[in-house]
């Protein structure tokens, strides 16, 4: 997967203005709608390559542009400049071909929560071209491997823990044999145990599937554990890139406990403190 | 390596006509599962529709003159509007609904054509609308002594089937509104739906409308549907007499469906450019 000088800017109105007295009422509303939206550079000339079979991590705090980058690769956004190719297919010109090669897990498990895990997987199977029977068999097989009994498989997904939902989301993404798997903060908001389970599952996937993974996270220990290479993203730009050990060697200045963490590297390359869990 | 990757993807994606049809049926199946899961709400909505239709039909009993034809006139209006608005609503709300469920990104990045996605949604809307209309008709028939002995039921059904095509086209055009505006798009579809209800002569002849609304009545496919179905059911008009209406409805459908798809695809590109193709919240 190759990203070359990709940029994306959004234009947003300052919504706080709408509460000011001069922007109230019909005339005020009209005036507000005529205010010039502010450009927000979400992704700024980002270039990188991911090799086949690699787990590549993009690390950054909230609002750094990670999810926008994932959505550009996932064909959900059009880039303003630059190009993204997924194993030779351009995400703008060959949208359908790219969609056949990828799948994505987002921070919130995108399911019909009233439906069961089985029903959601059957739906996914249909969308990705599997005949109903094959889709059902494959879905049941996956759910069994995830430790689902029949009651869980047929019960509403909303009754499952978030960790379990997220494991089903990863399983659904793999169900379609993607060549590139986009994991957009798959463990954010999970309790430590669920987080560990999902991470173990990702490592298992890496062992058993021929899948390339792009993982975004703001959890440095997760990146250290899972990724072959990582890039730090800040204000839409890649500010450092390499294997965790390379980065530690290049930028590392030991912290208080004498070891170098990825948080220390982020501080070194951006001059900013890495936000705590409660801030992200 | 690229060849190897493509082979794997093709096996997984199966970009064939059969796969596209299977995916369209996937939407039908998914919506059926959702209908089952929200069954309680379905019962509530159905009850409301039945009561609403009965209430409107009772107006026919209270006005002077023979009640039978007037009740049937109003029942036909209520039933047809129920059917057409279900189609319009289900198709036009397909985006807003996925946004609310949080599945919009997943559905839009699936390797299927938009025609397949929307086609599947329309298929379910038509089936669902028909089943719902039959249930409402059954309930209304229990309440009123409707005389359908001279009615051309087949003719009515033909008109209904043809009119659903135009309404799918209108629904596709309306479906773009929630794509363009995440907050207000859905409400805008209701305005469109309400306007069609006003100008199409659902419960009255369009002649009673102010003259400035008449051009809109002429443009609305519901106007022809209602006229033709009433001719078939109230007057027992043979199919040949319904052909001019069927022709107009077909023509409207032939224009509206490609237009709807074009508008939707332009809206989708706009949403992809501005970042609006995302879940709520």
């Amino acid at each position: 997967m190759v990203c070359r000088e990709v940029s994306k800017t959004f234009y947003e109105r300052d919504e706080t203005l709408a509460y000011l007295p001069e922007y109230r009422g019909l005339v005020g509303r009209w005036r507000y709608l005529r205010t010039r939206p502010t450009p927000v550079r979400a992704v700024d000339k980002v270039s990188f390559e991911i090799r086949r079979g690699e787990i590549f991590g993009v690390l950054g705090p909230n609002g750094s542009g990670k999810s926008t980058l994932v959505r550009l690769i996932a064909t959900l956004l059009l880039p303003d400049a630059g190009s993204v190719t997924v194993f030779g297919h351009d995400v703008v010109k060959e949208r359908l071909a790219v969609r056949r090669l990828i799948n994505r897990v987002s921070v919130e498990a995108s399911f019909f929560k009233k439906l069961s895990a089985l029903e959601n997987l059957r739906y996914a199977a249909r969308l990705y071209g599997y005949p109903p029977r094959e889709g059902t068999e494959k879905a049941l097989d996956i759910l069994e491997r995830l430790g689902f009994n029949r009651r869980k498989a047929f019960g509403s997904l909303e009754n499952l823990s978030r960790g379990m939902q997220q494991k089903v989301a990863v399983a659904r993404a793999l169900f379609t044999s993607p060549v590139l798997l986009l994991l957009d903060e798959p463990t954010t908001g999970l309790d430590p145990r669920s987080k560990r389970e999902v991470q173990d599952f990702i490592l298992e996937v890496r062992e058993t599937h021929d899948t390339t993974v792009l993982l975004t996270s703001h959890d440095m220990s997760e990146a250290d554990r899972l990724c072959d290479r990582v890039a730090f993203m800040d204000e839409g730009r890649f500010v450092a890139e390499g294997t965790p050990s390379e980065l530690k060697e290049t930028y590392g200045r030991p912290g208080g406990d004498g070891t170098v963490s990825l948080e220390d590297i982020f501080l070194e390359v951006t001059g900013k403190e890495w936000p705590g869990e409660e801030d992200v | 390596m690229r060849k190897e990757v493509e082979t794997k993807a093709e096996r997984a994606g199966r970009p064939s006509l059969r796969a596209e049809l299977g995916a369209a049926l996937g939407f039908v199946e998914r919506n059926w599962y959702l209908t089952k899961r929200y069954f309680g709400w379905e019962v509530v909505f159905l009850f409301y529709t039945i009561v609403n239709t009965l209430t409107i039909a009772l107006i026919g009993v209270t006005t002077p003159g023979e009640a039978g034809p007037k009740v049937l006139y109003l029942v036909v209006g209520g039933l047809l509007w129920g059917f057409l608005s279900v189609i319009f609503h289900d198709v036009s709300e397909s985006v807003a609904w996925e946004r609310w469920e949080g599945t919009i990104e997943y559905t839009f990045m699936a390797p299927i054509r938009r025609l397949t996605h929307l086609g599947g949604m329309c298929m379910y809307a038509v089936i669902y609308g028909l089943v719902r209309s039959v249930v409402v008709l059954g309930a209304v028939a229990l309440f009123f002594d409707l005389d359908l002995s001279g009615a051309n039921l087949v003719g009515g059904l033909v008109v209904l089937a043809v009119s659903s095509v135009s309404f799918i086209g209108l629904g596709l055009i309306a479906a773009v509104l929630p794509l363009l505006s995440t907050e207000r798009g859905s409400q805008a579809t209701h305005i469109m739906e309400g306007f069609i209800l006003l100008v199409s002569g659902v419960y009255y002849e369009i002649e009673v409308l102010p003259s400035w609304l008449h051009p809109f009545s002429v443009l609305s496919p519901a106007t022809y549907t209602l006229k033709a179905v009433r001719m078939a059911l109230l007057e027992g008009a043979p199919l040949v007499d319904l052909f001019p209406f069927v022709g107009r409805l077909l023509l409207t459908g032939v224009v509206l469906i490609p237009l709807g798809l074009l508008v939707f695809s332009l809206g989708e590109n706009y949403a992809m450019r501005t970042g609006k193709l995302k879940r709520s919240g």
Side-chain angles (χ1 to χ4, degrees):
Chain A
M1 202 224 84
V2 183
C3 241
R4 286 271 171 269
E5 297 277 303
V6 169
S7 295
K8 184 72 198 171
T9 302
F10 295 117
Y11 294 86
E12 290 168 0
R13 271 199 185 85
D14 183 357
E15 286 182 9
T16 55
L17 286 180
Y19 297 100
L20 296 176
E22 59 264 43
Y23 293 111
R24 287 198 187 141
L26 265 181
V27 178
R29 184 77 194 157
W30 174 247
R31 205 179 297 139
Y32 171 70
L33 289 173
R34 291 184 64 199
T35 56
R36 192 180 284 272
T38 317
V40 179
R41 193 88 150 164
V43 175
D44 193 2
K45 292 185 183 164
V46 167
S47 297
F48 65 101
E49 269 187 57
I50 309 179
R51 291 185 280 271
R52 190 152 184 209
E54 189 176 36
I55 299 185
F56 185 83
V58 179
L59 303 174
N62 270 3
S64 57
K66 304 183 300 290
S67 291
T68 302
L69 183 65
V70 168
R71 292 172 73 223
L72 284 162
I73 301 165
T75 73
L76 292 166
L77 273 177
L78 293 172
D80 297 332
S83 68
V84 182
T85 50
V86 177
F87 294 101
H89 297 284
D90 187 276
V91 295
V92 177
K93 294 178 193 139
E94 299 166 273
R95 222 180 278 170
L96 210 53
V98 170
R99 286 172 181 171
R100 284 185 198 114
L101 295 175
I102 62 171
N103 213 318
R104 173 183 175 219
V105 177
S106 54
V107 60
E108 288 286 339
S110 305
F111 286 116
F112 286 91
K113 302 257 170 34
K114 282 274 175 202
L115 300 190
S116 68
L118 182 65
E119 286 165 341
N120 271 291
L121 289 179
R122 266 178 68 103
Y123 167 57
R126 290 272 208 169
L127 291 190
Y128 283 80
Y130 289 95
R133 186 179 292 179
E134 197 184 329
T136 308
E137 280 168 10
K138 214 170 165 193
L140 281 169
D141 181 46
I142 284 177
L143 291 173
E144 199 181 300
R145 276 198 288 132
L146 284 179
F148 275 60
N149 55 32
R150 278 189 90 76
R151 196 175 59 82
K152 258 189 186 169
F154 287 89
S156 188
L157 254 180
E158 65 187 352
N159 297 327
L160 298 181
S161 69
R162 272 210 60 217
M164 211 48 168
Q165 287 182 18
Q166 211 56 336
K167 278 170 81 174
V168 177
V170 178
R172 177 182 62 178
L174 289 166
F175 188 84
T176 62
S177 312
V179 180
L180 175 66
L181 181 59
L182 305 166
L183 300 175
D184 189 6
E185 300 191 23
T187 61
T188 297
L190 297 185
D191 60 75
R193 189 183 155 193
S194 301
K195 192 178 263 195
R196 188 88 190 167
E197 279 176 4
V198 172
Q199 287 173 357
D200 288 345
F201 191 52
I202 293 168
L203 286 173
E204 186 193 321
V205 163
R206 179 203 170 92
E207 294 301 313
T208 52
H209 289 69
D210 175 24
T211 300
T212 306
V213 178
L214 170 67
L215 170 86
T216 73
S217 181
H218 49 64
D219 182 337
M220 298 292 192
S221 58
E222 176 172 280
D224 224 352
R225 183 174 179 222
L226 299 179
C227 300
D228 301 308
R229 282 190 306 135
V230 294
F232 284 106
M233 199 168 185
D234 185 45
E235 295 181 4
R237 286 171 176 265
F238 272 14
V239 288
E241 188 185 331
T243 64
S245 52
E246 275 170 4
L247 289 172
K248 284 173 187 171
E249 209 167 289
T250 313
Y251 300 101
R253 230 193 274 167
D257 58 356
T259 58
V260 181
S261 68
L262 289 175
E263 281 93 338
D264 299 327
I265 297 166
F266 184 79
L267 175 66
E268 185 67 26
V269 294
T270 63
K272 295 173 189 171
E273 284 285 345
W274 183 255
E277 188 75 24
E278 64 279 4
D279 300 323
V280 289
Chain B
M1 161 122 127
R2 179 170 164 161
K3 184 66 205 159
E4 192 189 326
V5 168
E6 277 177 353
T7 310
K8 186 181 175 186
E10 275 162 17
R11 197 169 57 243
R14 296 194 183 140
S16 64
L17 188 65
R18 201 173 155 191
E20 294 283 336
L21 185 66
L25 290 173
F27 284 96
V28 175
E29 189 179 77
R30 182 202 74 184
N31 287 2
W32 166 237
Y33 291 149
L34 283 167
T35 303
K36 281 199 295 183
R37 294 279 174 176
Y38 288 103
F39 189 69
W41 280 110
E42 293 297 331
V43 172
V44 171
F45 290 141
L46 196 59
F47 174 77
Y48 182 79
T49 310
I50 291 169
V51 170
N52 195 37
T53 311
L54 288 175
T55 315
I56 290 161
L58 280 167
I59 297 170
V61 179
T62 59
T63 52
E66 197 189 341
K70 279 184 287 171
V71 168
L72 192 54
Y73 180 94
L74 292 168
V75 165
V76 168
L79 276 175
L80 266 185
W81 182 247
F83 174 70
L84 297 176
S85 61
V86 159
I87 293 177
F88 178 81
H89 195 259
D90 276 19
V91 177
S92 64
E93 289 277 283
S94 54
V95 171
W97 188 30
E98 295 241 22
R99 204 191 285 286
W100 178 72
E101 289 273 9
T103 52
I104 184 166
E105 294 187 352
Y106 191 78
T107 300
F108 274 76
M109 64 175 278
I112 51 166
R113 293 179 197 286
R114 202 54 62 223
L115 179 67
T116 306
H117 168 198
L118 297 169
M121 296 297 292
C122 295
M123 248 193 269
Y124 186 77
V126 171
I127 298 167
Y128 174 75
L130 274 175
V131 171
R132 214 162 172 271
S133 302
V134 168
V135 174
V136 176
L137 180 63
V140 171
L142 286 175
F143 205 83
F144 295 108
D145 187 21
L146 295 177
D147 179 18
L148 292 169
S149 55
N152 176 6
L153 288 171
V154 175
L157 280 174
V158 169
V159 175
L160 204 62
V162 175
S163 71
S164 59
V165 179
S166 327
F167 263 74
I168 286 170
L170 278 177
L172 291 176
I173 294 171
V176 85
L177 298 171
L179 263 183
L180 301 182
S181 170
T182 45
E183 294 88 12
R184 295 180 189 88
S186 185
Q187 288 96 312
T189 63
H190 291 292
I191 294 175
M192 202 168 154
E193 191 181 352
F195 191 70
I196 299 170
L197 171 67
L198 174 71
V199 301
S200 305
V202 176
Y203 301 116
Y204 40 78
E205 292 299 311
I206 55 168
E207 285 72 25
V208 303
L209 290 168
S211 56
W212 62 272
L213 281 175
H214 285 187
F216 297 106
S217 304
V218 173
L219 288 173
S220 167
T223 307
Y224 306 108
T225 310
L226 285 153
K227 241 180 198 155
V229 172
R230 280 180 175 136
M231 276 174 67
L233 298 188
L234 272 76
E235 300 162 24
L239 205 50
V240 70
D241 287 357
L242 304 176
F243 278 166
F245 296 101
V246 171
R248 271 184 209 181
L249 285 169
L250 270 179
L251 189 69
T252 319
V254 166
V255 173
L256 283 179
I257 286 199
L259 182 68
L261 284 170
L262 175 70
V263 170
F264 195 91
S265 121
L266 292 173
E268 186 179 345
N269 271 314
Y270 169 80
M272 286 171 66
R273 204 155 30 80
T274 52
K276 290 184 175 179
L277 200 60
K278 62 179 181 187
R279 61 190 294 149
S280 306

